[in-house]
Amino acid sequence: MTLATATTRTGKRVPGPPGGGRPADRGAAWFLVLPALIPILVLSVGPLLYGIALAFTDSQAGRTAPTQWVGALNFQDLLHDTLFWDSFRIGLLWAVGVTVPQFLLALGLALLLNQNLRFRWLARALAIIPWAMPEVVVGIMWRLVYNPDAGILNETIRDLGLGDGRDWLTGLATALPAVIVVGIWAGMPQTTVALLAGLQNTSPELHEAAALDGAGAWGRFRAVTWPALRPVALAITALNFIWNFNSFALVYVLTNGGPGGRTRLPMLFAYEEAFRYGQFGYAAAMGCVMVAVISVILAFYLVGRLKGGDEQ
Amino acid sequence: MRPSRPARAGQYLALLAYLVFLAFPFLWLISTAFKPPRELASLHPTWIPKDPTLANFRQAFDEQPLLRAAVNSVIVAVCAALIAVVIATPMAYVMARHRSALSRAATGWVVVSQAFPFVLLIIPLFLILKNLHLINSLPGLTMVYVVWSLPFALWMLVGYVRAVPPELEEAAAVDGAGKLRTLVSVTAPLLTPGLVATALFAFITAWNEFFFALVLMKTPERQTLPVILTHFLGAEGVADLGPLAAAAFLATLPSLVIFALIQRRLTGGMLTGAVKS
């Protein structure tokens, strides 16, 4: 896909020594690819297939009896595991709860930063913080903010006379929303920067032409900005959803799945199943179900892209 | 089109709100890191420590093997970054310049690998590394990080290779230079800034990584910074706030500095990856 665009963009095939399919060149290509290909196959593709295979076994940590095939038994068990489906539901809730507001906020912000505003450099400079921070530190930092006694959030609430504040991360009702806010915070800059770069695809001439035709701000956005932004928006939203659905460290540090499992994302659940209870086969089956969901999302994304291609 | 005055005011207000949202947790982290215990225990916390102290930093180093963890993180991250760039560059070159089933498959893998739930990867990796006696070992973790940072490294590098005009390589070929020679003496020097940016990115990736390190590193003297940081949280989540903040702040500094250096390049790399694939 990438390669196709690369060659058609310039309208000619990449010429010279790199191009072509002479046997010597193909041999050289393999020689150049192998140093990366072998580790990828051994430590990534291989384990992934092994992981899928494990889902059909009774593999457990530290068991002396040999591992056996159990067919779809793990999946049958999963079907009846209400705790897993709870975590799955929470995972979807969290992924949507982070991705959607994050996209809308980032879109607004990107449009804002695309304007000629003073201090927008400051926004860009500060955006580095959430982006570069280790997730563990983001989690720790927000625990300090949410801290019931010594945290700044409750203190601000007290100062504003809005009450005594709460124990955000341990309250049954507040834990998930509190964690979602952190998720939004952590991913905002990346989304904003991606959308901002997408905005630079829109041509000012088109904007002016649309304005001359009497289009308002919303009309101009729909007719000019959005069509140009659409590919970036789709890509970043699909990736954000997948990353969020698979996320672990942030919530592990913030709540470790608590209170009462209210923030137990599927990854946390599978991690505990595998590395606390040693149920490798069962946890692998959970991973497979997660992959299935993600594949559906990816399919939607690809369909969306193809459609976008037709329109143009 | 010049926005009206109220619209402008609204825009600045929105910008201000964003800046506050972005900055306040980080400022709070810094503030907490420099507060003496008395102020931390105060029921009315203040933004700026009245009596700033470095005691939290000292205590953080006393409580947990922070220095050891930082050294581990540096070793793993530097090795992973160097190896990743060295092995990814030739592959990226092929992906950028050759149209073949192989490079298409590689591109496809790069996309798909972004979607792995790591739990499906970590269980078999754990079993494989255990058989190789590479659990709780820095080389084992390094290997995992190399492969983990490869997709993005490839993405970035393919973009950088494309930016080098093929005509330059043709010229070298006309002059009689072989393929490898061309690559080393013509393409590589032009790629250097891209290689540095990619290596720094791979470094940050490994420096920040938590999940693999949590599963694979068992003893405190082998654990990396992010894992050691979670030890400050204590068993019941009752944390010693000052040292916790101090350690977290320290662990962030290298990433922030490096990120500030490469941020522009990274944005470009991310977008070619995310959009053009």
Side-chain angles (χ1 to χ4, degrees), chain A residues 2-3 6 17-18 32 36 47 109 118 132-134 137 141 143-144 150 155 158 185 193 197 246 248 271 275 284 305, chain B residues 12 18 21 25-26 28 43-44 87 90 95 98 107 115-116 120 124 162 179 208 211 214-215 237 252 255 267 271 277:
Chain A
T2 325
L3 301 142
L32 293 173
L109 188 66
R118 257 175 258 183
M133 257 188 177
V137 175
M141 187 174 73
R143 276 180 71 145
L144 297 173
E155 179 60 14
R158 287 191 290 260
W185 185 88
V193 170
N246 285 339
F248 176 81
Y271 163 78
F275 297 101
R305 272 186 59 143
Chain B
Y12 276 108
Y18 172 66
F21 180 55
F26 190 61
W28 187 245
L43 272 177
H44 287 284
I87 67 177
M95 285 170 71
H98 282 248
T107 313
F116 290 174
L120 206 53
R162 289 241 177 83
K179 198 173 184 64
N208 289 353
F211 183 61
L214 175 72
V215 173
T252 310
S255 312
T267 316
L271 285 171
S277 63

Side-chain angles (χ1 to χ4, degrees), chain A residues 33-242:
Chain A
V33 163
L34 279 183
L37 193 61
I38 291 170
I40 288 171
L41 290 177
V42 173
L43 286 169
S44 179
V45 179
L48 191 70
L49 298 175
Y50 185 8
I52 294 171
L54 276 174
F56 297 92
T57 70
D58 60 356
S59 172
Q60 282 177 18
R63 208 172 62 150
T64 44
T67 299
Q68 295 199 334
W69 289 95
V70 293
L73 196 66
N74 286 326
F75 292 94
Q76 282 170 24
D77 287 348
L78 262 186
L79 216 56
H80 303 292
D81 189 338
T82 50
L83 282 180
F84 175 69
W85 293 109
D86 278 347
S87 91
F88 208 80
R89 197 175 45 80
I90 291 166
L92 289 176
L93 216 59
W94 146 267
V96 174
V98 173
T99 307
V100 173
Q102 188 174 67
F103 175 77
L104 294 175
L105 287 172
L107 179 62
L109 188 66
L111 290 169
L112 198 63
L113 294 181
N114 205 32
Q115 309 276 323
N116 202 7
L117 291 182
R118 257 175 258 183
F119 300 115
R120 64 176 180 174
W121 62 270
L122 188 62
R124 288 182 191 223
L126 282 177
I128 289 174
I129 297 173
W131 198 347
M133 257 188 177
E135 276 185 291
V136 167
V137 175
V138 174
I140 288 172
M141 187 174 73
W142 277 88
R143 276 180 71 145
L144 297 173
V145 169
Y146 281 136
N147 188 290
D149 304 318
I152 192 64
L153 185 62
N154 276 353
E155 179 60 14
T156 309
I157 288 171
R158 287 191 290 260
D159 282 350
L160 294 175
L162 295 173
D164 275 343
R166 310 158 159 270
D167 207 342
W168 299 95
L169 291 172
T170 51
L172 286 178
T174 53
L176 189 59
V179 170
I180 284 175
V181 168
V182 182
I184 293 172
W185 185 88
M188 271 276 279
Q190 218 171 336
T191 312
T192 308
V193 170
L195 292 175
L196 199 54
L199 282 179
Q200 275 146 22
N201 292 338
T202 54
S203 71
E205 291 84 19
L206 276 178
H207 258 283
E208 277 159 29
L212 282 178
D213 286 349
W218 171 243
R220 288 200 302 276
F221 177 79
R222 271 194 51 186
V224 182
T225 313
W226 182 246
L229 201 57
R230 198 166 172 274
V232 186
L234 260 172
I236 196 76
T237 308
L239 279 176
N240 275 342
F241 188 92
I242 290 167

Side-chain angles (χ1 to χ4, degrees), chain A residues 133-134 136-141 144, chain B residues 26 29 33 57 60 66 207 225 229 232 241-254:
Chain A
M133 257 188 177
V136 167
V137 175
V138 174
I140 288 172
M141 187 174 73
L144 297 173
Chain B
F26 190 61
L29 175 74
F57 291 87
L66 266 191
W207 179 269
L225 263 181
L229 284 182
F232 281 100
L241 298 181
L244 173 70
F249 177 62
L250 283 182
T252 310
L253 284 182

Side-chain angles (χ1 to χ4, degrees), chain B residues 16-35:
Chain B
L16 182 71
Y18 172 66
L19 292 179
V20 170
F21 180 55
L22 209 57
F24 95 98
F26 190 61
L27 294 177
W28 187 245
L29 175 74
I30 298 174
S31 160
T32 309
F34 289 97
K35 275 182 187 169

Side-chain angles (χ1 to χ4, degrees), chain A residues 239-253:
Chain A
L239 279 176
N240 275 342
F241 188 92
I242 290 167
W243 286 333
N244 287 326
F245 187 72
N246 285 339
S247 68
F248 176 81
L250 210 55
V251 173
Y252 177 89
V253 173

Side-chain angles (χ1 to χ4, degrees), chain B residues 13 22 57 91 108 111 120-121 131 158 165 178 221 226 232 241 250 268:
Chain B
L13 211 64
L22 209 57
F57 291 87
M91 182 158 176
V111 176
L120 206 53
L121 209 56
N131 280 329
V158 167
E221 63 270 17
F232 281 100
L241 298 181
L250 283 182

